[in-house]
Amino acid sequence: MSSPTTVSTKLERIATLAKQAPDMVITSLSHHIDLEWLREAHRRTRKDGAVGVDGRTADEYGANLGANLQSLLDRAKSGTYRAPPVRRVQIPKGDGKQTRPIGIPTFEDKILQRAIAMLLEAVYEQEFLPCSYGFRPRRSAHQALADLQHELTVMAGGWIIEVDIRRFFDELDHAKLREILCRRIRDGVVLRLVGKWLNAGVLETGELSYPEAGTPQGGVISPILSNIFLHEVLDLWFEQEVKPRLHGRAHLVRYADDVTIVFSSESDARRVLAALPKRFGKYGLTLHPEKTKLIEFRRPDRGGPADPGTFDLLGFTHFWGRSRNGKWIVIRKTARDRFGRALRRVAEWCQRNRHRPVREQWERLKQTLRGHFGYFGIIGNSRALARFTFGVTRVWQKWLNRRSQRARMTWERMGRLLERYPLPTPRIARPHPRIA
């Protein structure tokens, strides 16, 4: 049996060493990875994901777990492990027309990636700045949103830069990433494995290709690698080089590659906006020229426009509005594209499953609504939650109505069905998110 406590002790030792010696190059990390470490990595790996190119499920791998993990450990330590190609599938984007690629590694590859990610996280969590929230322990999207809302309130708004990195996960420069990693870590086993994942092939519609840039798509290792890269490219640069040169106040919030920067001074904002393309270009990245933009977001009673602009972050549209007692506050509602995407997914599911038993459909829709409320259920968003609930009800009624030409599902019948199978009512699930 694995012992999470023992692995946690090792992780604490690594973290303590990294914190006490922030300038030291760590040359030995992989000796911590043993059978017990891999068992813990297996425990942390999702078991319900799609299968990779080998077609092997988590249950099949777990049937002989001890022997499989020992074999994986031996191959990883000896250098004979070969990173299998990633199976790529295309999923619809928010507009429902375009698609974006998602990579599916093999289950065994996920375990090994998790094992290395645990090492890297223990080291780099001591260096990452508070402005970074994505894919980090004890940090969440809601904390990033609360941080930004707090700063906007303190500053009475300002000028917002929405940063859109064009195809970040596809264009990340391998050589630059290795250079950044080697400044802190020079363990041969760790660097060799990371290199193998960066160079692993991609299998799509039977064709195998080898991308020259980007992180392992869908890989467990991708989030920590992207955070390490953007910590160097953006976070440190903004904190150590940009902010000391500004005239006013500025605050950056980053969740993975979603970046929003707020400034109290328009001139500061314009100077940084002009410098951002050069900074990212130095590391092989480009900014989307239309989606990267400057927005005036000053509070209306503090010299801002009567109709101030809005901006989106992490699925929410931010705008100025009045509270019940008449004070100006930053209000957040579900962004239009996220709202439409979520409703389309419900409609597609109802269409495909309209002939399933009503109770089974009801259970699925309840789960969908509760998940939606769990993320979007914040103060100020009640109206959008109610609209989404009505949209789900309307979609369900539409496809139930097409089950039979004889027994039509009228709204009167739908009302009686909802009395028997009531859908969850909208609720505020996150009234007061805490700032990390």
Side-chain angles (χ1 to χ4, degrees):
M1 296 294 290
S2 62
S3 174
T5 303
T6 305
V7 175
S8 296
T9 303
K10 291 182 179 180
L11 289 169
E12 288 176 6
R13 289 174 184 167
I14 298 170
T16 301
L17 173 64
K19 190 172 184 178
Q20 292 176 346
D23 299 322
M24 182 181 72
V25 176
I26 302 175
T27 58
S28 179
L29 273 177
S30 58
H31 67 278
H32 292 288
I33 300 179
D34 53 16
L35 193 59
E36 193 174 43
W37 188 283
L38 287 183
R39 284 187 180 276
E40 176 62 13
H42 172 268
R43 187 185 70 83
R44 298 187 185 189
T45 303
R46 283 185 56 184
K47 313 297 190 296
D48 58 350
V51 297
V53 294
D54 62 352
R56 203 174 187 185
T57 66
D59 290 339
E60 291 171 347
Y61 193 87
N64 193 15
L65 184 61
N68 287 332
L69 292 182
Q70 185 62 58
S71 171
L72 177 61
L73 179 65
D74 294 341
R75 284 176 284 142
K77 291 292 185 73
S78 65
T80 59
Y81 179 79
R82 298 183 64 183
V86 173
R87 183 168 70 88
R88 177 186 285 173
V89 296
Q90 300 288 336
I91 65 171
K93 278 189 174 182
D95 56 12
K97 300 176 182 178
Q98 297 179 321
T99 61
R100 62 186 178 95
I102 290 294
I104 305 172
T106 65
F107 183 72
E108 181 176 68
D109 205 40
K110 291 178 184 177
I111 295 173
L112 189 55
Q113 287 191 33
R114 174 66 66 190
I116 299 299
M118 289 161 58
L119 284 177
L120 296 178
E121 185 179 278
V123 174
Y124 282 97
E125 271 299 314
Q126 318 313 312
E127 303 180 14
F128 289 156
L129 301 181
C131 63
S132 167
Y133 287 88
F135 309 112
R136 294 182 57 189
R138 297 175 296 279
R139 284 175 167 254
S140 69
H142 288 94
Q143 289 177 327
L145 292 165
D147 181 8
L148 183 61
Q149 185 186 42
H150 170 76
E151 199 66 24
L152 287 169
T153 302
V154 171
M155 296 169 60
W159 281 263
I160 303 286
I161 295 181
E162 283 188 303
V163 181
D164 188 280
I165 308 172
R166 178 177 279 172
R167 301 181 64 203
F168 169 70
F169 288 98
D170 295 327
E171 300 293 338
L172 189 147
D173 189 293
H174 290 176
K176 293 290 185 182
L177 175 59
R178 290 191 184 95
E179 180 184 329
I180 292 171
L181 279 172
C182 286
R183 292 176 192 167
R184 189 63 161 135
I185 295 174
R186 291 186 189 166
D187 182 290
V189 173
V190 173
L191 295 178
R192 183 169 58 242
L193 285 171
V194 171
K196 289 182 177 182
W197 287 317
L198 292 176
N199 295 322
V202 175
L203 184 66
E204 184 175 12
T205 61
E207 295 185 4
L208 184 63
S209 61
Y210 293 90
E212 296 180 357
T215 58
Q217 293 185 358
V220 177
I221 199 73
S222 283
I224 183 65
L225 292 181
S226 64
N227 271 335
I228 292 170
F229 196 81
L230 287 176
H231 171 72
E232 170 80 17
V233 176
L234 182 62
D235 301 353
L236 278 179
W237 171 74
F238 186 79
E239 189 67 29
Q240 297 179 358
E241 298 185 35
V242 174
K243 287 179 75 173
R245 293 179 169 87
L246 300 179
H247 299 298
R249 184 165 178 160
H251 189 72
L252 182 148
V253 172
R254 181 175 67 81
Y255 190 94
D257 62 331
D258 288 325
V259 181
T260 298
I261 316 175
V262 57
F263 300 84
S264 62
S265 166
E266 181 181 5
S267 61
D268 286 342
R270 293 193 179 278
R271 286 167 56 206
V272 173
L273 182 62
L276 282 172
K278 301 174 186 176
R279 177 64 182 179
F280 280 93
K282 181 180 177 181
Y283 290 85
L285 297 173
T286 58
L287 300 182
H288 197 292
E290 297 175 359
K291 296 181 180 179
T292 299
K293 53 191 176 182
L294 180 64
I295 301 165
E296 185 176 1
F297 195 74
R298 290 186 295 165
R299 209 169 79 183
D301 65 336
R302 293 290 183 89
D307 186 18
T310 67
F311 68 93
D312 290 353
L313 178 66
L314 299 176
F316 290 93
T317 297
H318 297 65
F319 61 97
W320 285 106
R322 291 187 181 273
S323 65
R324 292 181 179 179
N325 58 10
K327 294 182 178 180
W328 285 103
I329 58 173
V330 177
I331 302 177
R332 298 163 297 174
K333 66 178 181 180
T334 308
R336 180 181 297 181
D337 61 337
R338 291 291 291 271
F339 186 96
R341 185 194 315 171
L343 205 53
R344 276 194 298 273
R345 286 177 178 170
V346 173
E348 290 167 0
W349 188 90
C350 288
Q351 180 183 8
R352 293 194 307 268
N353 299 275
R354 62 184 180 275
H355 294 300
R356 291 182 178 272
V358 171
R359 172 171 285 277
E360 186 176 326
Q361 296 184 45
W362 173 60
E363 293 289 351
R364 173 60 183 266
L365 293 177
K366 281 198 305 179
Q367 182 182 9
T368 299
L369 282 170
R370 285 169 180 160
H372 188 87
F373 299 157
Y375 184 79
F376 291 102
I378 63 173
I379 291 176
N381 200 33
S382 299
R383 189 173 298 178
L385 298 182
R387 285 196 301 115
F388 185 76
T389 305
F390 176 75
V392 170
T393 305
R394 190 174 181 178
V395 163
W396 194 23
Q397 182 268 341
K398 171 185 175 180
W399 291 108
L400 287 176
N401 188 43
R402 299 191 181 187
R403 280 159 59 107
S404 170
Q405 294 293 330
R406 299 177 182 176
R408 308 295 291 183
M409 180 58 69
T410 64
W411 273 108
E412 182 180 353
R413 284 192 63 201
M414 189 67 185
R416 293 196 296 269
L417 183 141
L418 289 173
E419 291 179 359
R420 184 176 180 183
Y421 300 105
L423 293 175
T425 56
R427 67 186 185 89
I428 302 300
R430 300 176 180 275
H432 301 290
R434 298 177 59 188
I435 300 175

